[in-house]
Amino acid sequence: DGGITQSPKYLFRKEGQNVTLSCEQNLNHDAMYWYRQDPGQGLRLIYYSQIVNDFQKGDIAEGYSVSREKKESFPLTVTSAQKNPTAFYLCATYQGGNQPQHFGDGTRLSIL
Amino acid sequence: GQSLEQPSEVTAVEGAIVQINCTYQTSGFYGLSWYQQHDGGAPTFLSYNALDGLEETGRFSSFLSRSDSYGYLLLQELQMKDSASYFCAVRASYNTDKLIFGTGTRLQVFP
């Protein structure tokens, strides 16, 4: 079954703690993206990667880090430097050309 | 700066037609996409316009006028399940497919 899998669905972070959100895809898409969505707001780009071992900062990269060691995986770490991490995090992939971005089901991160 | 403006909320009744407008101001423009998002869910792709004119997909149509930096999503024969948030998104870069999203329009369909 092809698609994008984000885990966990819900995540709680303690103060000063780093947490990692998983995004795995079996669509064979080269490009992957991480977005943050706050309540009642649109999506804002955190990081994106067009090929393995390469990634670029988006509009709100501060306090986040990523890696792209495999084509299928693009994990996002929310570091303790991100002072307001409570949000809905969405991972997306892109095949190329005029194809749309496809989204995973998201991870909802809250502060304990 | 870069911005997309949409109405925050629209209401309509079942069977009606509703239009959601989107005006944009971005440094690059390679197309306008529309996504639907139900509460707590992932955005799902509805429509894409790279060129001026109307694109029709079933009950949904999308229009683009690049000279006016304007587009709209038209939803016909509204159903209760169409109650959701709708986002326009500008494709600001061709090679990287970076998308800039509007803040979304919440559509409520009443019986």
Side-chain angles (χ1 to χ4, degrees), chain A residues 49-70:
Chain A
S49 168
Q50 291 182 273
I51 56 173
V52 174
N53 293 322
D54 186 59
F55 48 82
Q56 306 294 328
K57 292 181 179 180
D59 300 318
I60 56 166
E62 186 174 350
Y64 301 96
S65 66
V66 293
S67 63
R68 186 87 186 276
E69 297 177 1
K70 301 185 301 181

Side-chain angles (χ1 to χ4, degrees), chain B residues 13-93:
Chain B
V13 295
E14 272 188 303
I17 299 172
V18 71
Q19 179 174 314
I20 299 173
N21 298 322
C22 174
T23 57
Y24 58 87
Q25 185 175 6
T26 58
S27 56
F29 181 84
Y30 294 90
L32 185 71
S33 298
W34 288 92
Y35 286 84
Q36 178 193 61
Q37 186 181 34
H38 286 97
D39 285 345
T44 55
F45 173 76
L46 293 176
S47 189
Y48 176 69
N49 296 70
L51 302 174
D52 293 349
L54 191 68
E55 293 283 341
E56 296 181 82
T57 310
R59 295 188 297 117
F60 296 169
S61 303
S62 59
F63 172 83
L64 174 65
S65 169
R66 289 174 294 171
S67 61
D68 296 321
S69 298
Y70 164 76
Y72 66 72
L73 179 69
L74 191 73
L75 298 85
Q76 302 181 77
E77 301 172 18
L78 282 174
Q79 302 174 9
M80 296 293 289
K81 68 178 181 179
D82 297 328
S83 293
S85 292
Y86 293 82
F87 295 88
C88 58
V90 164
R91 190 179 184 193
S93 168

Side-chain angles (χ1 to χ4, degrees), chain A residues 9 33 35 37 40-43 45 48 50 57 59 88 90 94 96-105 108, chain B residues 2 30 33 35 37 39-45 48 50 87 91 94-104:
Chain A
K9 191 172 178 67
Y33 307 79
Y35 293 92
Q37 186 177 31
Q41 299 297 313
L43 282 66
L45 183 64
Y48 64 100
Q50 291 182 273
K57 292 181 179 180
D59 300 318
F88 189 41
L90 289 154
Y94 171 60
N98 284 338
Q99 296 300 311
Q101 290 189 14
H102 294 274
F103 286 85
D105 289 336
R108 198 166 296 277
Chain B
Q2 308 201 88
Y30 294 90
S33 298
Y35 286 84
Q37 186 181 34
D39 285 345
T44 55
F45 173 76
Y48 176 69
F87 295 88
R91 190 179 184 193
Y94 185 81
N95 289 333
T96 65
D97 197 49
K98 287 179 67 175
L99 294 179
I100 301 170
F101 282 82
T103 53

Side-chain angles (χ1 to χ4, degrees), chain A:
Chain A
D1 194 23
I4 304 166
T5 302
Q6 289 191 241
S7 61
K9 191 172 178 67
Y10 299 95
L11 186 59
F12 297 92
R13 194 192 90 168
K14 296 179 182 178
E15 293 287 342
Q17 186 181 45
N18 294 352
V19 292
T20 298
L21 285 61
S22 171
C23 178
E24 303 280 331
Q25 56 111 351
N26 60 7
L27 299 170
N28 200 35
H29 290 175
D30 286 317
M32 298 185 74
Y33 307 79
W34 274 106
Y35 293 92
R36 168 179 172 141
Q37 186 177 31
D38 293 286
Q41 299 297 313
L43 282 66
R44 292 184 290 167
L45 183 64
I46 305 172
Y47 267 98
Y48 64 100
S49 168
Q50 291 182 273
I51 56 173
V52 174
N53 293 322
D54 186 59
F55 48 82
Q56 306 294 328
K57 292 181 179 180
D59 300 318
I60 56 166
E62 186 174 350
Y64 301 96
S65 66
V66 293
S67 63
R68 186 87 186 276
E69 297 177 1
K70 301 185 301 181
K71 186 175 185 177
E72 300 79 17
S73 179
F74 190 40
L76 173 75
T77 296
V78 184
T79 74
S80 57
Q82 173 49 247
K83 297 306 179 188
N84 184 22
T86 298
F88 189 41
Y89 291 87
L90 289 154
C91 176
T93 69
Y94 171 60
Q95 184 178 12
N98 284 338
Q99 296 300 311
Q101 290 189 14
H102 294 274
F103 286 85
D105 289 336
T107 293
R108 198 166 296 277
L109 175 63
S110 302
I111 291 290
L112 277 178

